[in-house]
Amino acid sequence: YFTQPEVLNRIPTLFLVLGGLTVGLQMIGVLLLRNPEEGDEIETLEMNESSPIIPEKKSPDSKYGEPAVIETESSFAHPTGAPEPHKGTSVSANVSSEKVSMADELVEKTPLEALKTLDLYILWLALAFNHYGYIIKNNYYKEFGQLVIDNDHFLTTTGTVATIGVSLARILWGIATDWLGTKATLLVFTACTTVATVFWYFTLFISPALYMFWVILISVVFTGAFILFPLAALRCYGEKHYATNYGLILSSQIVLNIISPPITKLLLINFGWFWLFFSISICNFLGTLALLFLKEDR
């Protein structure tokens, strides 16, 4: 796409600069890591979900849905039950679907057990369908934009601003998961991807500003996969074998990275840009249908 020597000759140096920045930032991050020390404050976090994908844990002394009593340190120090002034001896906790402790409630499954569950293949397919669109977005947003926008700096700025939006959006996807639950947020995620990519083709021919906004919007939506699918794997199969189980789901990206280049080339040559983008919508719609069968009572 470029023939100017002043641009091409700077590319090797650019890779060195990017590599140096990456090493420097990673080293800063590594140096800031440390193990918790005695005296560090550790807060107990509760996840509020209306529809958790993890089981409820019944208290041995209470029925499902009834308040369970959690004894504090002071209650064991005073077995007679007489509380000290201004010190509570017990805390009532409502064991319900709205307040779930991840540490106690995760279902632990080995990779072999995970392979025998339908949920693994649902998540695998949904991630594969979504990753197909992610590949096209990353590789073709600029090439497609150059059909109308004869300004490389504008398109580069679009990609740069999109990365900022992605960083902020990952926080929002996390908040959405706490509010809606994992399955519901996954459905919202794939549905939003379906709708956003339907209109992507048309935005370029309306205005460059709208195209820039839409690329940023699509990037913000797509980044939900990096939050939601790891969390779904954790909720479905626990943390003990999390790395391997999530790796099984993530293997869908390996398959897509292999088969998507010939597919996208075939679509572009025979059907054009509209059907290339519309194929993203079709794939994510199929992913949404698959996620409807994800078990919600775990």
Side-chain angles (χ1 to χ4, degrees):
Y1 295 102
F2 301 98
T3 57
Q4 301 97 318
E6 60 271 19
V7 173
L8 297 178
N9 292 337
R10 294 171 65 183
I11 290 176
T13 305
L14 172 65
F15 281 115
L16 292 175
V17 172
L18 290 175
L21 287 172
T22 302
V23 171
L25 292 172
Q26 292 290 340
M27 288 303 298
I28 293 172
V30 169
L31 292 173
L32 291 173
L33 291 174
R34 68 178 179 86
N35 290 322
E37 298 176 355
E38 189 175 352
D40 285 346
E41 248 184 67
I42 301 176
E43 296 182 359
T44 301
L45 301 180
E46 288 182 334
M47 304 202 62
N48 299 322
E49 289 198 0
S50 56
S51 302
I53 312 185
I54 49 181
E56 300 296 344
K57 187 175 181 180
K58 299 181 183 179
S59 168
D61 299 324
S62 63
K63 294 181 180 179
Y64 176 82
E66 293 181 356
V69 176
I70 303 175
E71 300 293 339
T72 62
E73 185 179 351
S74 60
S75 65
F76 292 106
H78 300 276
T80 58
E84 290 184 353
H86 309 294
K87 289 186 179 180
T89 58
S90 63
V91 178
S92 292
N94 188 6
V95 185
S96 66
S97 63
E98 293 183 354
K99 293 188 177 181
V100 181
S101 172
M102 279 188 63
D104 295 333
E105 305 295 345
L106 290 175
V107 176
E108 297 292 346
K109 287 187 180 293
T110 65
L112 287 177
E113 291 172 334
L115 284 169
K116 297 176 183 178
T117 64
L118 178 63
D119 286 350
L120 182 82
Y121 302 99
I122 291 174
L123 292 171
W124 194 96
L125 279 174
L127 181 58
F129 285 137
N130 183 261
H131 190 63
Y132 169 75
Y134 182 78
I135 292 173
I136 293 175
K137 188 268 296 182
N138 282 349
N139 289 287
Y140 288 105
Y141 89 88
K142 193 172 182 181
E143 184 177 345
F144 176 60
Q146 287 175 333
L147 296 177
V148 174
I149 302 171
D150 189 20
N151 187 335
D152 185 67
H153 287 288
F154 179 86
L155 293 170
T156 303
T157 301
T158 299
T160 303
V161 175
T163 60
I164 299 173
V166 162
S167 301
L168 298 174
R170 292 185 180 184
I171 300 173
L172 297 178
W173 280 118
I175 294 173
T177 306
D178 292 340
W179 184 40
L180 297 175
T182 308
K183 178 178 178 179
T185 310
L186 276 169
L187 289 170
V188 170
F189 160 68
T190 52
C192 287
T193 307
T194 302
V195 174
T197 50
V198 163
F199 300 102
W200 186 7
Y201 173 84
F202 303 102
T203 59
L204 179 63
F205 304 102
I206 296 175
S207 75
L210 181 61
Y211 182 73
M212 181 182 194
F213 170 79
W214 215 259
V215 170
I216 295 170
L217 174 65
I218 290 173
S219 300
V220 164
V221 173
F222 268 114
T223 195
F226 296 96
I227 302 297
L228 301 176
F229 284 98
L231 182 57
L234 180 65
R235 297 285 177 80
C236 289
Y237 304 115
E239 60 178 293
K240 186 175 181 181
H241 304 283
Y242 166 74
T244 305
N245 290 332
Y246 180 54
L248 292 173
I249 298 171
L250 209 60
S251 65
S252 62
Q253 294 186 349
I254 300 174
V255 176
L256 263 293
N257 288 335
I258 295 172
I259 68 173
S260 63
I263 292 175
T264 54
K265 183 179 179 180
L266 182 67
L267 286 172
L268 270 176
I269 292 175
N270 294 283
F271 300 100
W273 287 103
F274 172 79
W275 285 103
L276 177 66
F277 294 148
F278 193 66
S279 67
I280 303 175
S281 301
I282 294 173
C283 285
N284 279 275
F285 176 72
L286 294 175
T288 305
L289 293 180
L291 287 170
L292 289 173
F293 296 93
L294 188 69
K295 290 182 181 178
E296 194 170 11
D297 56 348
R298 280 196 288 102

